[in-house]
Amino acid sequence: MERSKVVISKEQIALQYEYMGKVRALLGQEERYALVRTYGCQQNEADSERLAGMLHEMGYSITEDEKKADLILVNTCAVREHAELKALSITGQFKHLKEKKKSLLIGICGCMVSQEHRKEDIKHKYPYVDFLFGTAMLYRMPEILYTRLVKQKRQFFLDDNSGNIAEGLPVYRMNEFKAWVSIMYGCNNFCSYCVVPYVRGRERSRDPEEILQEVKALAEQGYKEITLLGQNVNSYGKDLEEPMTFAQLLERICQVEGEFTVRFMTSHPKDATRELIDVMAQNPKIARAFHLPLQSGSNRVLQRMNRKYTTERYLELVDYMREKMPDIALTTDIIVAFPGESEEDFEGTLEMLRRVEYDNIYSFIYSKRKGTPAADYPDQIDPSVASDRFARMIACQQEISARKNKDYTGEVLQVLVEGYSKTDKTKLTGRTEKNRLVHFEGPEELIGQHAAVLIKRSETYALFGELAQL
Ligand code: SAH
Ligand code: SF4
């Protein structure tokens, strides 16, 4: 793709700022509230922060309270059917709010509605949805909203999905010490089960200078953790006029002054390099944590998934990582019951879990996605077999995670304190560099700060401790 066509022009962005001003003028002085509800991955959360940024610029106060909202925007996910059904169901519930408050505006955007069939569904079955736009149209939300307001007509916008890069939009960050920074958008990999390349378009990298400026600003504002986002960060920079590797970008980010930790996701094993692992090993600013989606432990299944690596190549990477950083935390994504997965293939996945000993896994039962090659594979797996394998896999990993968590008892860990625990309001909760969840008692002032916590006991998914006396 030609860069000049991919990067949205400054004039176009200025035009959107004009629309933001026009909406603000239309709304007048009265206080207005907007709610952005997000489904799916971190990329979607980052997009929602830009949507909220634009809404804020238009004069809306951002709220979590749907009853208070004058505008609700649902940012949807399409990666599994379950995520789509959740977004549709919540949109359905908002209908009742609109019956009570006629002026309420409801918008829907993101990956699910970037599929033509879903756009049609919304148009015909959800008449109370006021506007819809796809992922490639995010930056035009002010124009879409303004047009809806002045024309009093529903607006539906899907662009061609090759995608674009919009710089300079306002961002409303939902967290005061952890920030997302998208470094690239889209995906070129076309794994045979995955809808992402269809709904988010082709891979495109942000200019490194734009990324560095954003990181510098975040560091100056005191952000403690910066997570770089992309569907496959390892192909960062290939499409730039002056190509650079993700490892080179990381090195430059680590040179930015400030006390912050860098994380990144996601890495595709076919493109993860030793150069990247070396850069991690040399830079203490980069968290000792690596998310490396395996998907399956069977080479036959990996091939049918179009993943382009073998378990042997995957293990080589893991071994190299552990050689360079023996204490690195490893996590992965697994898909269970991909079409044609035999019992033996599945055993291969369990074998990989035991061999790698991940700190944690994110596992999913295969979900058929319209328009993807795997949806037409004839050998779809029976749901009862799928759920049985899923349960066995969780049990296998639970044992490993619990054992690994036990090892922390008696250690003092640095924890970035995120807030009060959702299940026990007397306790603070946070995460370690390796993403371990830690609960402990402490003063509120610690929220947003690092604390040293002595670990007293562990459960499968969490550690419990007390403030260490240093
Ligand atoms: N780009 C990232 C992840 C994108 S989707 C990567 O390649 O790792 C996040 C995870 O959802 C994937 O890693 C995969 O495990 C899961 N996933 C994607 N499509 C799926 C499908 N059709 N059914 C079940 N899980 C799926
Ligand atoms: Fe989907 Fe594969 Fe791209 Fe990840 S790399 S977003 S799983 S197509």
Side-chain angles (χ1 to χ4, degrees), residues 385-404:
V385 173
S387 50
D388 174 63
R389 285 184 189 162
F390 186 73
R392 283 160 64 200
M393 190 180 51
I394 299 288
C396 171
Q397 180 58 34
Q398 266 177 354
E399 202 189 304
I400 297 167
S401 292
R403 181 158 24 89
K404 290 200 128 190

Side-chain angles (χ1 to χ4, degrees), residues 359-376:
D359 293 77
N360 210 346
I361 65 169
Y362 301 87
S363 46
F364 314 99
I365 291 180
Y366 167 74
S367 169
K368 210 175 184 178
R369 303 289 67 210
K370 200 179 163 91
T372 60
D376 296 328

